[in-house]
Amino acid sequence: MATITLIGAGNVGHHLALQLYKAGHTISQIYSRAIEKAATLASLVNAEAIADFDALDKQTMIYILAVKDDALEDVAYKLQAQNIQQGIIAHTSGSVPSHIFEGKFEHYGIFYPLQTFSKQKAVDFQALPFCIYGNTIDTQDQLFQLATSICPNVYLINDQQRATLHVAAVMVNNFSNFLYGMADEICQDHQVPFDILKPLIQETVSKVLEHSPKTVQTGPAIRGDQQTIKKHLDFLDNYPHYQEIYTKISNGISKWKSVEPV
Amino acid sequence: MATITLIGAGNVGHHLALQLYKAGHTISQIYSRAIEKAATLASLVNAEAIADFDALDKQTMIYILAVKDDALEDVAYKLQAQNIQQGIIAHTSGSVPSHIFEGKFEHYGIFYPLQTFSKQKAVDFQALPFCIYGNTIDTQDQLFQLATSICPNVYLINDQQRATLHVAAVMVNNFSNFLYGMADEICQDHQVPFDILKPLIQETVSKVLEHSPKTVQTGPAIRGDQQTIKKHLDFLDNYPHYQEIYTKISNGISKWKSVEPV
């Protein structure tokens, strides 16, 4: 079991603290610039709340930085000033490279749960993938063990792979949600309940869980059905931005034509 | 129970014939230009296979046209030449208006199962939405009853609503599959298993089943996180078309900023 200090009491920090505590680890301290935020979370996991880096427990085995991407470098400098010798410094970001820690700490790495977090909703740590990386084998082992204690799907992922995953995650998560929102908007505008589409949304996903997406692509663009595409573009005349997106994606799909469908 | 003639033995015809037969309806004939295709399907549902419109059973209650969109008008003319007086003529297309039947037949409508069909995969008629329309109340009633006998989710949908649904279906189904394909491609190119993303794909969908998509939008674009967006665009330098799509969708998302997130 590890002793952990958590820097940041936002969504990611919140869920990680609860999960690590539940798994039997000791949460020594929770830091937040807003002491009441730190205190609320600390009270749930039997930890000390701090809002001052000078109060930092220097003996913690692992310091997890669950702060916003653009605050990471600044926090790293502040931790460096505390002269931490033994502990591992790891951040939870999908897009910030690990080398921001280089030269500042002996042992550092990444502790990145790949999922969208919102405080209202419980996070299923059984399902999410956990990406870890350590600057040494020993650091990597410790972070791997820690991740494995709360999640069955742990991957060793280096900085370049993580950068790839982050872009890909934006596509499959944020961008597909945007498509749902576009569809919802045009349905609402034309008195069609968006609910009708939900079985189709589920079917689309269940297909991609079993097949490579390019091989199961359907629709007018992959069929080269210009008549339907034109009809749809006409329909979108009042939505010029959606029209552009429709065109760009259809062009993208038509380039996949050479891929053999199943 | 209805007596049905099915024109077309492709994917949609295949699944409809099996389902209607299973529900106890009589499939009188199955027409296909390729007689062996018609025969294969006909043998499964105890029907007669025909490849000549002159052989058409004129007493069938409902003629279901499950042919390609661009063949519909031609088939309608050929059926008109057969001088069908009583039967209902209905097609299964999402995008062709019902008025292609106007002036040709007394009773006509739409019998449109909103789902992607592939012959290899069983279709869950319990889950899919069925959209029907009839040119008279009586026709509508009969098509409604027929649809209800094989599917619990039947909607009365007029031509304009169906056109809307068809565009929206392309967005949530074909286009989101395209996003998965983009993500798969960049993962493969960078030695990252696409499987890592599958829990995130499922989580994204489970969110939209419960919430309005615009209210649960996450990611760099809705946060206005230009630094991450720039990083991602740099990453996509070798994928100029994906880069354009990334930009267009991100711009679209940022316009949603005024929508209150949950």
Side-chain angles (χ1 to χ4, degrees):
Chain A
M1 292 295 123
T3 311
I4 296 153
T5 288
L6 206 74
I7 315 290
N11 287 335
V12 177
H14 177 89
H15 289 292
L16 277 182
L18 295 184
Q19 204 64 22
L20 289 166
Y21 180 68
K22 218 171 87 182
H25 300 289
T26 303
I27 314 292
S28 163
Q29 295 180 326
I30 291 179
Y31 167 93
S32 170
R33 274 183 311 179
I35 187 71
E36 59 290 359
K37 251 182 116 174
T40 306
L41 182 55
S43 71
L44 298 175
V45 296
N46 199 24
E48 179 191 3
I50 59 170
D52 179 353
F53 283 110
D54 287 333
L56 210 65
D57 174 0
K58 309 287 190 299
Q59 302 308 313
T60 298
M61 287 161 68
I62 300 174
Y63 299 81
I64 299 175
L65 277 57
V67 300
K68 289 210 172 105
D69 286 5
D70 51 13
L72 265 174
E73 206 138 5
D74 180 50
V75 170
Y77 279 113
K78 284 177 176 150
L79 281 182
Q80 186 185 17
Q82 296 301 323
N83 196 22
I84 290 159
Q85 303 288 340
Q86 293 303 319
I88 295 169
I89 313 290
H91 75 65
T92 61
S93 161
S95 69
V96 177
S98 61
H99 63 63
I100 63 156
F101 295 142
E102 214 177 316
K104 296 191 184 72
F105 308 104
E106 286 278 309
H107 319 285
Y108 61 85
I110 306 294
F111 195 71
Y112 168 47
L114 179 60
Q115 190 59 279
T116 49
F117 287 87
S118 60
K119 233 173 220 169
Q120 297 87 342
K121 210 176 167 215
V123 173
D124 183 2
F125 279 84
Q126 292 304 302
L128 66 79
F130 223 107
C131 305
I132 68 109
Y133 169 78
N135 72 319
T136 65
I137 291 292
D138 187 52
T139 302
Q140 198 146 276
D141 278 351
Q142 286 194 57
L143 290 173
F144 194 92
Q145 276 178 37
L146 188 66
T148 306
S149 74
I150 57 173
C151 170
N153 314 302
V154 183
Y155 297 86
L156 283 177
I157 295 288
N158 64 30
D159 277 7
Q160 212 221 350
Q161 290 173 314
R162 192 161 42 86
T164 306
L165 270 175
H166 200 248
V167 178
V170 165
M171 290 171 176
V172 303
N173 172 15
N174 308 149
F175 286 5
S176 66
N177 188 71
F178 174 77
L179 294 177
Y180 303 150
M182 264 167 68
D184 185 24
E185 182 178 330
I186 66 167
C187 282
Q188 279 188 34
D189 289 352
H190 294 84
Q191 286 77 51
V192 178
F194 180 65
D195 281 359
I196 300 188
L197 292 166
K198 289 182 175 172
L200 187 63
I201 290 175
Q202 285 177 292
E203 170 69 11
T204 307
V205 167
S206 78
K207 246 193 210 169
V208 88
L209 297 179
E210 288 168 33
H211 301 280
S212 161
K214 286 192 187 181
T215 65
V216 293
Q217 184 67 50
T218 55
I222 197 82
R223 287 197 308 271
D225 179 351
Q226 296 303 328
Q227 213 180 328
T228 300
I229 291 174
K230 191 187 169 309
K231 220 182 274 183
H232 288 179
L233 289 175
D234 289 347
F235 179 93
L236 293 172
D237 254 345
N238 295 326
Y239 307 84
H241 192 77
Y242 296 165
Q243 212 174 31
E244 282 177 48
I245 290 172
Y246 187 103
T247 303
K248 289 266 175 241
I249 295 184
S250 292
N251 291 346
I253 292 173
S254 62
K255 287 181 190 154
W256 286 356
K257 271 204 162 172
S258 54
V259 180
E260 197 58 41
V262 285
Chain B
M1 290 295 123
T3 312
I4 296 153
T5 289
L6 206 75
I7 316 289
N11 287 336
V12 177
H14 178 88
H15 288 292
L16 278 182
L18 294 184
Q19 204 64 22
L20 289 166
Y21 180 68
K22 217 172 87 183
H25 301 289
T26 302
I27 314 294
S28 165
Q29 296 181 324
I30 291 178
Y31 168 93
S32 171
R33 276 183 310 179
I35 186 72
E36 58 292 355
K37 250 183 116 175
T40 305
L41 182 53
S43 70
L44 298 175
V45 296
N46 199 26
E48 180 191 3
I50 59 170
D52 179 353
F53 283 109
D54 288 333
L56 210 65
D57 175 359
K58 309 289 191 301
Q59 303 307 314
T60 298
M61 290 161 68
I62 300 174
Y63 298 82
I64 298 175
L65 277 56
V67 300
K68 288 208 173 107
D69 286 4
D70 52 11
L72 264 175
E73 205 137 7
D74 181 51
V75 170
Y77 278 113
K78 285 178 176 150
L79 282 181
Q80 186 185 16
Q82 296 300 323
N83 196 22
I84 290 158
Q85 302 289 341
Q86 293 303 320
I88 295 169
I89 313 290
H91 75 63
T92 59
S93 161
S95 69
V96 177
S98 60
H99 64 61
I100 64 154
F101 295 142
E102 213 178 318
K104 297 191 184 73
F105 309 103
E106 285 278 312
H107 318 284
Y108 61 84
I110 306 294
F111 195 70
Y112 168 46
L114 178 61
Q115 190 57 278
T116 49
F117 287 88
S118 60
K119 234 172 219 167
Q120 297 86 342
K121 206 174 171 216
V123 173
D124 183 3
F125 280 85
Q126 294 303 305
L128 66 80
F130 223 106
C131 305
I132 69 110
Y133 168 78
N135 71 318
T136 65
I137 291 293
D138 188 50
T139 302
Q140 199 146 277
D141 278 352
Q142 286 193 57
L143 290 173
F144 195 90
Q145 276 178 37
L146 189 66
T148 308
S149 74
I150 57 173
C151 172
N153 315 302
V154 183
Y155 298 86
L156 284 176
I157 294 289
N158 65 27
D159 277 8
Q160 211 221 349
Q161 290 173 313
R162 191 160 42 87
T164 306
L165 269 175
H166 200 247
V167 179
V170 165
M171 290 170 176
V172 303
N173 172 14
N174 308 148
F175 286 5
S176 65
N177 189 72
F178 174 77
L179 295 177
Y180 303 150
M182 263 166 69
D184 185 23
E185 183 178 329
I186 65 167
C187 282
Q188 278 189 36
D189 289 352
H190 294 85
Q191 287 77 50
V192 178
F194 179 65
D195 281 359
I196 299 188
L197 292 167
K198 288 181 175 173
L200 186 63
I201 290 175
Q202 286 177 293
E203 169 71 12
T204 306
V205 168
S206 77
K207 247 194 208 168
V208 88
L209 297 179
E210 288 168 34
H211 302 279
S212 162
K214 286 191 188 182
T215 65
V216 292
Q217 184 66 51
T218 54
I222 198 82
R223 286 198 309 270
D225 179 351
Q226 296 305 328
Q227 211 181 331
T228 299
I229 291 175
K230 192 185 170 306
K231 221 183 273 183
H232 288 179
L233 290 174
D234 288 347
F235 180 92
L236 293 171
D237 254 344
N238 295 326
Y239 307 84
H241 193 75
Y242 296 165
Q243 211 174 33
E244 283 176 47
I245 290 171
Y246 187 103
T247 302
K248 289 264 174 244
I249 295 184
S250 293
N251 290 345
I253 292 173
S254 62
K255 286 180 191 156
W256 287 355
K257 273 206 163 172
S258 52
V259 180
E260 196 59 39
V262 287

